[in-house]
Amino acid sequence: MSENTSNYLNSLNESQREAVEIISGATLVLAGAGSGKTRVLTYKLLHLLIKKILKPSQILAVTFTNKAASEMKSRVSKMLNFPIDRMWLGTFHSLSLKILRQHYEKVGLKQNFIIIDTDDQIKLIKKICDQENIDSKDISPKFFASAIDSLKNKGIFFNELKVNKYRNNDEELRKVYKMYQKELVRINCVDFGDLILLCIKLFKDNKEVREYYQNLFNYILVDEYQDINFIQQKWLEYLYQGHKNICCVGDDDQSIYSWRGADVTNLLEFQKNFQSPKIIRLEQNYRSTKNILECASILIDKNKNRYGKKLWSENEEGEKIFINGFWETKEEAIFTTDQIDKLVSNKVQLSEIAILFRVSAHTRSFEERLIAIGLPYRIIGGLRFYERKEIKDVIAYLRLINNISDDLAFERVINIPKRGIGKTTLSKINQIARLNNTSMFEASQNFIGENKTKVNLEINDFINNILKWQKIKKNFDHIELAKVVLEDSNYIQYLENEAKNSKNPENLSRVDNINEFLESLKDFENLEGFLEHVGLVMENMANTDSQTISLMTMHGSKGLEFDYVFLAGWEEGVFPSQRSLDESGTKGLEEERRLAYVALTRARKKIQISYVNQNRYSFASHDFNSPSRFISELPKDAIELNDSKVIMKNDFLNDFIDTENISNEYLTPGRKRILENKKALVDWDFNQDISSERNLNANDRVFHKKFGIGIILNMDTDTANVEFTRHGIRKVYLKFLQFNH
């Protein structure tokens, strides 16, 4: 045994020690953010083993991720100086699998059964739909897969599904669910949802097996208890009935995953589920300043459905939370990244800085600005904006319209949305293209010929659409072109069908990403300029340092902490999410408020919150956002508020645009990097709207941030033909021209 275990209890505060030393009955540890939850879990295991209260094989420890299980096992083994491999430590699913491997025949399985992944699950369901003449265009296999998974999380077998005539697709769902389960048995497979569900069936139907495991485990330890769902709670209740010793660690104020089945009610009703429990609150926070904790505590106290606790700290008072309002997203990105740049110039490590968003789509303007000023970043728990599938799809459409010889773009979108054009067909088209030394687009015209098969008709429609959009491109600006492409291709409908009945925020936010994409097009004069920009952005993204700023959603930030946290997009309708309010009412609002609490408590030293007045997706409309209600719920003496009007007086945009005319002694490090990297400069600033000093006329000398100095040859309502000194004659928007003396 390691020497450092002799006085392990002395390193705990009073509440932590109390939680560790309880070794019988039911205990709920309400662990506030930054209160040392991991320490309590680790030391609880240590205590049970060091005092020889239990053997490792008598302890069941449940975590939510394999990583958490591995880290806990490693930490305890290191402190004890001997392996604890015999301990049942893992996720609900991995532990259930271990049980099923021992008793497979009792649930109708054969030895060496296989766990299928989501792709195989959808393929199997599609096969069933085809057999039953269920049109996958009307009801997608993904819908059935998601619905079946949801039913399994609620403990409902196919024979227990009650059809509601007022609920769409129930009859088809029951039919597919039944056949799907029979097919799984036939091929000796299970899906992820089956692992816990079949365990429940095993315990329910087999007294001998149930009592064996109830007696095997003398103590149950559960992490992240606020995130468990119905079927996981039932699993615990079965195993608890032996010695009735259980300790659950969680925080009702950090329950933010209802979209994946988590039900905070399990935690709130702990006293009903387990006999005479002891409830211990861990309220001392070791992470954040007193001011941050005051804001977080007062905000979350607005929720009614909670146990209640108030975080406190012996840390310093700290700075007030700064709240900044802006007219539009670019200002928000510029100001925020300028603040970050100042931190970096003061030797703050990039890894200690994070920007958190409610909606992943809103990373785009921040990503581009960070690239422009040369600060490396990474997206935590997701993809960079231009790497997201839906964005790459739409860009591929635009690339193909711009250049029909772009085979990579052709191959990407020829079957998106699904047109029944498979790999075999594409291979034949590619072969024709190589033989004739032409593009695949041209080869596809030769491929279809006079043959009027279903596939050929789909290819023909695709070709005609591309040709039509090319004609539109001559008369429409690139924004309108993109809208037409999205409408004619039914791409938005395709995304909505993909997200139907999916609670995964990534799926639900794909349409938001498209809206943000359309918004991004406003920054460019034409399609060619945008595509050039994307190429430069992707190139810059490929070269990042190990030290990076972290960008992530608030959901993705749970469990992480940073010195400096920037919270963007705190507008009503964005945060709290209007979708959450519409779907779940008060319950949804309380979960959104818990999400705000999680976001605030990620910070150790300083927080800045920002909101934007102009509707992010309004384009030319005059819709305006109001600041999030959560801002008004923060204590007034703990915040410093600058509204949009005050912010605008600082004139960030013009200051940034005029970078080249500012003496070097006034430049921030970020702006110096812009001047050193012209490629990055093109990525951001040349298409900013510029207020002209006077009305422009033919023969006026003007300045354009991309093309430089030129003379206006002629004009129409909003564009002008300008002869630039270095770039020749170009047609540009008037709003991007500045009168040059």
Side-chain angles (χ1 to χ4, degrees), residues 340-362:
I340 292 172
D341 205 32
K342 290 176 183 176
L343 291 174
V344 175
S345 65
N346 290 326
K347 309 302 181 185
V348 173
Q349 295 291 306
L350 294 175
S351 58
E352 293 300 337
I353 303 170
I355 312 174
L356 309 187
F357 307 85
R358 176 61 181 88
V359 181
S360 61
H362 295 169

PDB file of all heavy atoms in Angstrom, residues 340-362:
ATOM      1  N   ILE A 340      -9.318  38.603 -26.116  1.00  0.00           N
ATOM      2  CA  ILE A 340      -8.468  37.416 -26.016  1.00  0.00           C
ATOM      3  C   ILE A 340      -7.036  37.748 -26.415  1.00  0.00           C
ATOM      4  O   ILE A 340      -6.074  37.313 -25.772  1.00  0.00           O
ATOM      5  CB  ILE A 340      -9.036  36.275 -26.885  1.00  0.00           C
ATOM      6  CG1 ILE A 340     -10.353  35.766 -26.291  1.00  0.00           C
ATOM      7  CG2 ILE A 340      -8.037  35.136 -27.027  1.00  0.00           C
ATOM      8  CD1 ILE A 340     -11.087  34.769 -27.164  1.00  0.00           C
ATOM      9  N   ASP A 341      -6.911  38.538 -27.470  1.00  0.00           N
ATOM     10  CA  ASP A 341      -5.581  38.927 -27.934  1.00  0.00           C
ATOM     11  C   ASP A 341      -4.816  39.686 -26.847  1.00  0.00           C
ATOM     12  O   ASP A 341      -3.606  39.509 -26.676  1.00  0.00           O
ATOM     13  CB  ASP A 341      -5.726  39.793 -29.187  1.00  0.00           C
ATOM     14  CG  ASP A 341      -4.491  39.754 -30.062  1.00  0.00           C
ATOM     15  OD1 ASP A 341      -3.812  38.719 -30.107  1.00  0.00           O
ATOM     16  OD2 ASP A 341      -4.215  40.765 -30.705  1.00  0.00           O
ATOM     17  N   LYS A 342      -5.510  40.519 -26.094  1.00  0.00           N
ATOM     18  CA  LYS A 342      -4.876  41.250 -24.991  1.00  0.00           C
ATOM     19  C   LYS A 342      -4.412  40.286 -23.899  1.00  0.00           C
ATOM     20  O   LYS A 342      -3.347  40.452 -23.318  1.00  0.00           O
ATOM     21  CB  LYS A 342      -5.852  42.278 -24.419  1.00  0.00           C
ATOM     22  CG  LYS A 342      -6.126  43.454 -25.341  1.00  0.00           C
ATOM     23  CD  LYS A 342      -7.174  44.388 -24.747  1.00  0.00           C
ATOM     24  CE  LYS A 342      -7.489  45.530 -25.721  1.00  0.00           C
ATOM     25  NZ  LYS A 342      -8.579  46.414 -25.197  1.00  0.00           N
ATOM     26  N   LEU A 343      -5.237  39.283 -23.619  1.00  0.00           N
ATOM     27  CA  LEU A 343      -4.857  38.282 -22.624  1.00  0.00           C
ATOM     28  C   LEU A 343      -3.585  37.553 -23.057  1.00  0.00           C
ATOM     29  O   LEU A 343      -2.670  37.344 -22.255  1.00  0.00           O
ATOM     30  CB  LEU A 343      -5.993  37.265 -22.421  1.00  0.00           C
ATOM     31  CG  LEU A 343      -7.270  37.768 -21.749  1.00  0.00           C
ATOM     32  CD1 LEU A 343      -8.342  36.667 -21.772  1.00  0.00           C
ATOM     33  CD2 LEU A 343      -7.008  38.207 -20.311  1.00  0.00           C
ATOM     34  N   VAL A 344      -3.553  37.175 -24.334  1.00  0.00           N
ATOM     35  CA  VAL A 344      -2.393  36.458 -24.866  1.00  0.00           C
ATOM     36  C   VAL A 344      -1.142  37.324 -24.796  1.00  0.00           C
ATOM     37  O   VAL A 344      -0.047  36.851 -24.462  1.00  0.00           O
ATOM     38  CB  VAL A 344      -2.663  35.985 -26.310  1.00  0.00           C
ATOM     39  CG1 VAL A 344      -1.420  35.346 -26.921  1.00  0.00           C
ATOM     40  CG2 VAL A 344      -3.831  34.993 -26.343  1.00  0.00           C
ATOM     41  N   SER A 345      -1.295  38.611 -25.107  1.00  0.00           N
ATOM     42  CA  SER A 345      -0.149  39.515 -25.042  1.00  0.00           C
ATOM     43  C   SER A 345       0.345  39.695 -23.609  1.00  0.00           C
ATOM     44  O   SER A 345       1.498  40.060 -23.382  1.00  0.00           O
ATOM     45  CB  SER A 345      -0.509  40.875 -25.652  1.00  0.00           C
ATOM     46  OG  SER A 345      -1.499  41.530 -24.916  1.00  0.00           O
ATOM     47  N   ASN A 346      -0.528  39.403 -22.627  1.00  0.00           N
ATOM     48  CA  ASN A 346      -0.153  39.444 -21.208  1.00  0.00           C
ATOM     49  C   ASN A 346       0.258  38.074 -20.678  1.00  0.00           C
ATOM     50  O   ASN A 346       0.204  37.813 -19.473  1.00  0.00           O
ATOM     51  CB  ASN A 346      -1.308  40.007 -20.373  1.00  0.00           C
ATOM     52  CG  ASN A 346      -1.529  41.488 -20.604  1.00  0.00           C
ATOM     53  OD1 ASN A 346      -0.586  42.244 -20.837  1.00  0.00           O
ATOM     54  ND2 ASN A 346      -2.788  41.928 -20.550  1.00  0.00           N
ATOM     55  N   LYS A 347       0.652  37.192 -21.611  1.00  0.00           N
ATOM     56  CA  LYS A 347       1.227  35.881 -21.283  1.00  0.00           C
ATOM     57  C   LYS A 347       0.224  34.864 -20.733  1.00  0.00           C
ATOM     58  O   LYS A 347       0.622  33.881 -20.101  1.00  0.00           O
ATOM     59  CB  LYS A 347       2.396  36.023 -20.294  1.00  0.00           C
ATOM     60  CG  LYS A 347       3.457  37.039 -20.696  1.00  0.00           C
ATOM     61  CD  LYS A 347       4.077  36.729 -22.060  1.00  0.00           C
ATOM     62  CE  LYS A 347       5.155  37.748 -22.425  1.00  0.00           C
ATOM     63  NZ  LYS A 347       5.683  37.538 -23.805  1.00  0.00           N
ATOM     64  N   VAL A 348      -1.086  35.076 -20.973  1.00  0.00           N
ATOM     65  CA  VAL A 348      -2.075  34.068 -20.599  1.00  0.00           C
ATOM     66  C   VAL A 348      -1.988  32.909 -21.590  1.00  0.00           C
ATOM     67  O   VAL A 348      -1.922  33.113 -22.800  1.00  0.00           O
ATOM     68  CB  VAL A 348      -3.502  34.652 -20.597  1.00  0.00           C
ATOM     69  CG1 VAL A 348      -4.536  33.547 -20.377  1.00  0.00           C
ATOM     70  CG2 VAL A 348      -3.643  35.713 -19.516  1.00  0.00           C
ATOM     71  N   GLN A 349      -1.942  31.692 -21.089  1.00  0.00           N
ATOM     72  CA  GLN A 349      -1.888  30.510 -21.939  1.00  0.00           C
ATOM     73  C   GLN A 349      -3.186  30.349 -22.732  1.00  0.00           C
ATOM     74  O   GLN A 349      -4.281  30.506 -22.185  1.00  0.00           O
ATOM     75  CB  GLN A 349      -1.652  29.252 -21.099  1.00  0.00           C
ATOM     76  CG  GLN A 349      -0.302  29.198 -20.395  1.00  0.00           C
ATOM     77  CD  GLN A 349       0.841  29.022 -21.382  1.00  0.00           C
ATOM     78  OE1 GLN A 349       0.852  28.104 -22.201  1.00  0.00           O
ATOM     79  NE2 GLN A 349       1.812  29.917 -21.300  1.00  0.00           N
ATOM     80  N   LEU A 350      -3.062  30.018 -24.025  1.00  0.00           N
ATOM     81  CA  LEU A 350      -4.242  29.824 -24.867  1.00  0.00           C
ATOM     82  C   LEU A 350      -5.166  28.748 -24.304  1.00  0.00           C
ATOM     83  O   LEU A 350      -6.387  28.840 -24.414  1.00  0.00           O
ATOM     84  CB  LEU A 350      -3.826  29.449 -26.291  1.00  0.00           C
ATOM     85  CG  LEU A 350      -3.083  30.512 -27.098  1.00  0.00           C
ATOM     86  CD1 LEU A 350      -2.646  29.935 -28.440  1.00  0.00           C
ATOM     87  CD2 LEU A 350      -3.943  31.736 -27.324  1.00  0.00           C
ATOM     88  N   SER A 351      -4.581  27.715 -23.698  1.00  0.00           N
ATOM     89  CA  SER A 351      -5.365  26.605 -23.166  1.00  0.00           C
ATOM     90  C   SER A 351      -6.241  27.007 -21.990  1.00  0.00           C
ATOM     91  O   SER A 351      -7.111  26.240 -21.585  1.00  0.00           O
ATOM     92  CB  SER A 351      -4.442  25.456 -22.746  1.00  0.00           C
ATOM     93  OG  SER A 351      -3.496  25.897 -21.781  1.00  0.00           O
ATOM     94  N   GLU A 352      -6.010  28.195 -21.436  1.00  0.00           N
ATOM     95  CA  GLU A 352      -6.812  28.683 -20.315  1.00  0.00           C
ATOM     96  C   GLU A 352      -7.932  29.613 -20.761  1.00  0.00           C
ATOM     97  O   GLU A 352      -8.546  30.289 -19.941  1.00  0.00           O
ATOM     98  CB  GLU A 352      -5.914  29.405 -19.293  1.00  0.00           C
ATOM     99  CG  GLU A 352      -4.932  28.489 -18.587  1.00  0.00           C
ATOM    100  CD  GLU A 352      -5.629  27.384 -17.808  1.00  0.00           C
ATOM    101  OE1 GLU A 352      -6.809  27.540 -17.435  1.00  0.00           O
ATOM    102  OE2 GLU A 352      -4.996  26.350 -17.565  1.00  0.00           O
ATOM    103  N   ILE A 353      -8.216  29.649 -22.072  1.00  0.00           N
ATOM    104  CA  ILE A 353      -9.235  30.534 -22.626  1.00  0.00           C
ATOM    105  C   ILE A 353     -10.260  29.698 -23.388  1.00  0.00           C
ATOM    106  O   ILE A 353      -9.905  28.822 -24.169  1.00  0.00           O
ATOM    107  CB  ILE A 353      -8.612  31.581 -23.570  1.00  0.00           C
ATOM    108  CG1 ILE A 353      -7.539  32.390 -22.838  1.00  0.00           C
ATOM    109  CG2 ILE A 353      -9.697  32.497 -24.138  1.00  0.00           C
ATOM    110  CD1 ILE A 353      -6.713  33.272 -23.755  1.00  0.00           C
ATOM    111  N   ALA A 354     -11.529  29.985 -23.161  1.00  0.00           N
ATOM    112  CA  ALA A 354     -12.590  29.260 -23.864  1.00  0.00           C
ATOM    113  C   ALA A 354     -13.710  30.215 -24.255  1.00  0.00           C
ATOM    114  O   ALA A 354     -14.000  31.178 -23.546  1.00  0.00           O
ATOM    115  CB  ALA A 354     -13.157  28.127 -23.000  1.00  0.00           C
ATOM    116  N   ILE A 355     -14.325  29.931 -25.417  1.00  0.00           N
ATOM    117  CA  ILE A 355     -15.538  30.635 -25.852  1.00  0.00           C
ATOM    118  C   ILE A 355     -16.645  29.594 -25.925  1.00  0.00           C
ATOM    119  O   ILE A 355     -16.514  28.588 -26.620  1.00  0.00           O
ATOM    120  CB  ILE A 355     -15.361  31.319 -27.219  1.00  0.00           C
ATOM    121  CG1 ILE A 355     -14.070  32.136 -27.275  1.00  0.00           C
ATOM    122  CG2 ILE A 355     -16.557  32.228 -27.513  1.00  0.00           C
ATOM    123  CD1 ILE A 355     -13.774  32.718 -28.661  1.00  0.00           C
ATOM    124  N   LEU A 356     -17.736  29.842 -25.211  1.00  0.00           N
ATOM    125  CA  LEU A 356     -18.841  28.891 -25.151  1.00  0.00           C
ATOM    126  C   LEU A 356     -20.065  29.452 -25.875  1.00  0.00           C
ATOM    127  O   LEU A 356     -20.377  30.638 -25.761  1.00  0.00           O
ATOM    128  CB  LEU A 356     -19.214  28.570 -23.699  1.00  0.00           C
ATOM    129  CG  LEU A 356     -18.091  28.155 -22.737  1.00  0.00           C
ATOM    130  CD1 LEU A 356     -18.676  27.706 -21.396  1.00  0.00           C
ATOM    131  CD2 LEU A 356     -17.236  27.063 -23.329  1.00  0.00           C
ATOM    132  N   PHE A 357     -20.769  28.573 -26.587  1.00  0.00           N
ATOM    133  CA  PHE A 357     -21.937  28.948 -27.383  1.00  0.00           C
ATOM    134  C   PHE A 357     -23.122  28.048 -27.028  1.00  0.00           C
ATOM    135  O   PHE A 357     -22.950  26.865 -26.717  1.00  0.00           O
ATOM    136  CB  PHE A 357     -21.658  28.787 -28.882  1.00  0.00           C
ATOM    137  CG  PHE A 357     -20.422  29.504 -29.357  1.00  0.00           C
ATOM    138  CD1 PHE A 357     -19.169  28.911 -29.266  1.00  0.00           C
ATOM    139  CD2 PHE A 357     -20.503  30.774 -29.887  1.00  0.00           C
ATOM    140  CE1 PHE A 357     -18.029  29.561 -29.703  1.00  0.00           C
ATOM    141  CE2 PHE A 357     -19.366  31.439 -30.325  1.00  0.00           C
ATOM    142  CZ  PHE A 357     -18.128  30.830 -30.226  1.00  0.00           C
ATOM    143  N   ARG A 358     -24.314  28.590 -27.112  1.00  0.00           N
ATOM    144  CA  ARG A 358     -25.509  27.757 -26.983  1.00  0.00           C
ATOM    145  C   ARG A 358     -25.747  26.967 -28.256  1.00  0.00           C
ATOM    146  O   ARG A 358     -26.185  25.832 -28.217  1.00  0.00           O
ATOM    147  CB  ARG A 358     -26.744  28.625 -26.670  1.00  0.00           C
ATOM    148  CG  ARG A 358     -28.073  27.844 -26.600  1.00  0.00           C
ATOM    149  CD  ARG A 358     -28.025  26.807 -25.519  1.00  0.00           C
ATOM    150  NE  ARG A 358     -29.247  26.036 -25.434  1.00  0.00           N
ATOM    151  CZ  ARG A 358     -29.500  24.930 -26.122  1.00  0.00           C
ATOM    152  NH1 ARG A 358     -28.584  24.495 -26.983  1.00  0.00           N
ATOM    153  NH2 ARG A 358     -30.636  24.272 -25.975  1.00  0.00           N
ATOM    154  N   VAL A 359     -25.436  27.584 -29.387  1.00  0.00           N
ATOM    155  CA  VAL A 359     -25.659  26.973 -30.696  1.00  0.00           C
ATOM    156  C   VAL A 359     -24.329  26.844 -31.419  1.00  0.00           C
ATOM    157  O   VAL A 359     -23.599  27.830 -31.578  1.00  0.00           O
ATOM    158  CB  VAL A 359     -26.639  27.818 -31.545  1.00  0.00           C
ATOM    159  CG1 VAL A 359     -26.874  27.159 -32.903  1.00  0.00           C
ATOM    160  CG2 VAL A 359     -27.962  28.016 -30.808  1.00  0.00           C
ATOM    161  N   SER A 360     -24.005  25.653 -31.860  1.00  0.00           N
ATOM    162  CA  SER A 360     -22.710  25.410 -32.492  1.00  0.00           C
ATOM    163  C   SER A 360     -22.517  26.213 -33.774  1.00  0.00           C
ATOM    164  O   SER A 360     -21.389  26.519 -34.158  1.00  0.00           O
ATOM    165  CB  SER A 360     -22.528  23.917 -32.790  1.00  0.00           C
ATOM    166  OG  SER A 360     -23.531  23.444 -33.679  1.00  0.00           O
ATOM    167  N   ALA A 361     -23.617  26.570 -34.452  1.00  0.00           N
ATOM    168  CA  ALA A 361     -23.531  27.348 -35.689  1.00  0.00           C
ATOM    169  C   ALA A 361     -22.861  28.699 -35.469  1.00  0.00           C
ATOM    170  O   ALA A 361     -22.282  29.275 -36.395  1.00  0.00           O
ATOM    171  CB  ALA A 361     -24.928  27.552 -36.283  1.00  0.00           C
ATOM    172  N   HIS A 362     -22.928  29.222 -34.253  1.00  0.00           N
ATOM    173  CA  HIS A 362     -22.444  30.569 -33.981  1.00  0.00           C
ATOM    174  C   HIS A 362     -20.933  30.650 -33.836  1.00  0.00           C
ATOM    175  O   HIS A 362     -20.381  31.725 -33.619  1.00  0.00           O
ATOM    176  CB  HIS A 362     -23.114  31.129 -32.727  1.00  0.00           C
ATOM    177  CG  HIS A 362     -24.579  31.329 -32.890  1.00  0.00           C
ATOM    178  ND1 HIS A 362     -25.430  31.604 -31.842  1.00  0.00           N
ATOM    179  CD2 HIS A 362     -25.370  31.265 -33.989  1.00  0.00           C
ATOM    180  CE1 HIS A 362     -26.663  31.700 -32.291  1.00  0.00           C
ATOM    181  NE2 HIS A 362     -26.647  31.501 -33.586  1.00  0.00           N
TER     182      HIS A 362
END
